[in-house]
Amino acid sequence: MSQMQNVEKQLREMILGLEIGPGERLTERWVESRFGASRTPVRAALLRLETEGLICRDGRGWTVSPINLAELEQIAVYREAVEVAAVRLTCTLQDRSAVEIIEAMLDSCDDQTPREEWHRVGMDFHIELARLSGNEFLFRAVRDAMTRLSRARWLEVRDEAALGRAWAEHHAILSAVRAGDADTAARLLSAHIIGSRDRLVTSVRNDRRGLRARGFAVVA
């Protein structure tokens, strides 16, 4: 792994895991010191993270992008379009046996599983489900959308009831895909995405004051 890739990977993990909070300022000098990297790979890593929407320019420095409520709603519309298209395509395939792998991934989470793993598996469910379609463009679209949602979804995994509901919905979607029932799979997936959006936006709105008290920037 190159120095640029190493900086990019570690910074991304720190941002998505809220170790570096939304709205927090970054300087190239701090990144260089933190990761023992030189200026050129640091700048390249920051530029790549900017293209993902995780950071933005702030004068001569950088700022971790705030949690944007309007963006959360827009991403849900985008996700519904591409994920439903992908799941309909998957239901037309003769071999849908890979569904079992995704189901095993869901079943690997239990009461002893760290929240970080619940978060990762919840994201991977949508990404891997899109991968089954065999359409590389739909897969990349879903992967990119889930990356942009990652920080906000950390707030949702704190809610036990929300987690249980999401996992039950995931299993129902997989059952429809396994049966090749495109209409049911599309309906369940659409309802899941919209329901998740509504819960997430409501949670962020209700907890905006608390998030700001922790130094997290939230914009409408």
Side-chain angles (χ1 to χ4, degrees):
M1 182 182 295
S2 70
Q3 195 175 63
M4 183 275 289
Q5 291 171 324
N6 182 55
V7 172
E8 178 190 356
K9 177 178 182 293
Q10 293 192 66
L11 260 183
R12 182 185 291 108
E13 290 174 353
M14 293 175 74
I15 292 170
L16 295 181
L18 297 177
E19 188 176 341
I20 305 176
E24 190 168 336
R25 296 201 65 194
L26 292 173
T27 65
E28 293 179 10
R29 181 164 295 182
W30 179 85
V31 178
E32 291 168 16
S33 175
R34 177 68 172 76
F35 300 107
S38 55
R39 179 168 298 180
T40 297
V42 163
R43 285 185 175 175
L46 291 170
L47 287 171
R48 290 179 65 125
L49 293 174
E50 182 186 27
T51 64
E52 295 180 19
L54 293 178
I55 63 174
C56 54
R57 295 176 187 273
D58 183 8
R60 293 187 176 181
W62 303 82
T63 297
V64 177
S65 299
I67 293 175
N68 189 315
L69 292 174
E71 183 180 81
L72 295 182
E73 302 213 17
Q74 291 169 11
I75 289 176
V77 174
Y78 177 65
R79 285 183 61 203
E80 187 179 12
V82 295
E83 290 194 48
V84 167
V87 83
R88 283 190 174 280
L89 184 55
T90 299
C91 286
T92 67
L93 302 178
Q94 283 196 327
D95 182 7
R96 299 184 298 278
S97 59
V99 165
E100 308 299 333
I101 298 174
I102 300 178
E103 192 156 50
M105 182 175 69
L106 293 176
D107 291 340
S108 69
C109 293
D110 57 28
D111 292 342
Q112 305 304 314
T113 303
R115 280 289 174 266
E116 291 83 357
E117 184 67 6
W118 281 93
H119 177 267
R120 186 189 66 77
V121 170
M123 288 190 52
D124 284 351
F125 167 81
H126 292 276
I127 295 170
E128 295 305 318
L129 186 61
R131 191 197 296 270
L132 293 188
S133 71
N135 186 301
E136 185 69 16
F137 293 95
L138 291 174
F139 161 66
R140 290 181 184 176
V142 173
R143 182 187 60 191
D144 293 346
M146 295 308 295
T147 295
R148 285 183 177 271
L149 276 178
S150 183
R151 293 178 305 155
R153 290 185 72 255
W154 267 108
L155 306 175
E156 189 177 32
V157 298
R158 299 178 304 174
D159 185 337
E160 295 282 352
L163 272 180
R165 182 166 49 242
W167 250 241
E169 292 172 358
H170 288 168
H171 279 293
I173 293 164
L174 288 181
S175 293
V177 173
R178 185 186 292 107
D181 188 342
D183 288 341
T184 298
R187 175 177 55 79
L188 292 174
L189 182 56
S190 178
H192 171 69
I193 291 170
I194 298 306
S196 177
R197 176 205 64 188
D198 291 345
R199 290 190 297 272
L200 189 55
V201 170
T202 298
S203 173
V204 173
R205 285 188 189 279
N206 291 343
D207 198 26
R208 186 183 296 185
R209 181 173 297 178
L211 292 171
R212 285 177 173 168
R214 294 167 61 188
F216 293 172
V218 179
V219 298

